[in-house]
Amino acid sequence: MKQNVLDEREQQVLGQIEHKALNAAEILLILAIVVQLLLGADFRQIAGECMVMIVLTIGMIAAYVHSGIWDTDAAPSSGGNLRFSLFTGAGAGLLTFGLKKQILIALAMALGMFILTFVLLTLLMNSVRRRQEKQAEEFEADE
């Protein structure tokens, strides 16, 4: 095993750089998928990007919940979950409308994505809060 030559500050800077690069990669993957769909690609043509996005997202979420981390910029909250769910619902609705040109299907997709996102974020928020409480109890027991 190689020795780490970075001091604590350098490790923090490296973590920030990697965090920004990972966020950029996620955004670019999503944009690549959306652009390809709008240009008429079928699922076989975007399957690779979708698989990378799914594995990356599930892995990050699992690691965050296991570590008791929600986000670098916000604490877990129902209001934040609501805002993000509205954003993803609107995005799904707009994408569906762009592909299908049918408002009812787009509205149904937007509503479905909103509900799914809100439920999942609420479940994750509760898991993160439980993990944080457990970590606080372990910390107090160690003192």
Side-chain angles (χ1 to χ4, degrees):
M1 191 166 160
K2 292 184 178 182
Q3 180 181 352
N4 187 347
V5 297
L6 301 178
D7 63 25
E8 187 174 325
R9 183 197 60 78
E10 291 169 326
Q11 286 178 335
Q12 286 181 347
V13 171
L14 179 64
Q16 291 170 352
I17 292 168
E18 290 172 344
H19 178 75
K20 289 176 184 176
L22 184 59
N23 284 343
E26 282 184 304
I27 290 168
L28 291 172
L29 270 172
I30 291 169
L31 289 175
I33 292 167
V34 169
V35 167
Q36 289 179 70
L37 283 172
L38 292 175
L39 292 175
D42 64 5
F43 183 73
R44 290 176 293 178
Q45 293 171 303
I46 61 167
E49 289 95 332
C50 289
M51 290 305 300
V52 169
M53 195 66 212
I54 290 167
V55 170
L56 178 66
T57 302
I58 290 172
M60 286 183 54
I61 289 171
Y64 282 2
V65 171
H66 177 72
S67 300
I69 297 171
W70 182 253
D71 188 20
T72 56
D73 302 321
S77 71
S78 295
N81 292 352
L82 181 64
R83 284 188 298 278
F84 190 76
S85 298
L86 287 170
F87 175 75
T88 57
L94 289 172
L95 180 60
T96 303
F97 184 74
L99 294 172
K100 302 290 185 185
K101 305 290 190 250
Q102 295 182 355
I103 191 74
L104 290 178
I105 293 174
L107 288 173
M109 180 62 78
L111 180 61
M113 183 59 74
F114 167 78
I115 291 169
L116 178 64
T117 303
F118 188 76
V119 168
L120 288 173
L121 285 174
T122 300
L123 292 172
L124 289 169
M125 177 181 70
N126 291 332
S127 295
V128 167
R129 284 182 176 166
R130 280 192 303 274
R131 181 69 178 151
Q132 288 172 341
E133 289 169 3
K134 183 179 177 185
Q135 289 172 332
E137 289 171 6
E138 290 172 355
F139 181 73
E140 288 175 6
D142 287 344
E143 289 184 337

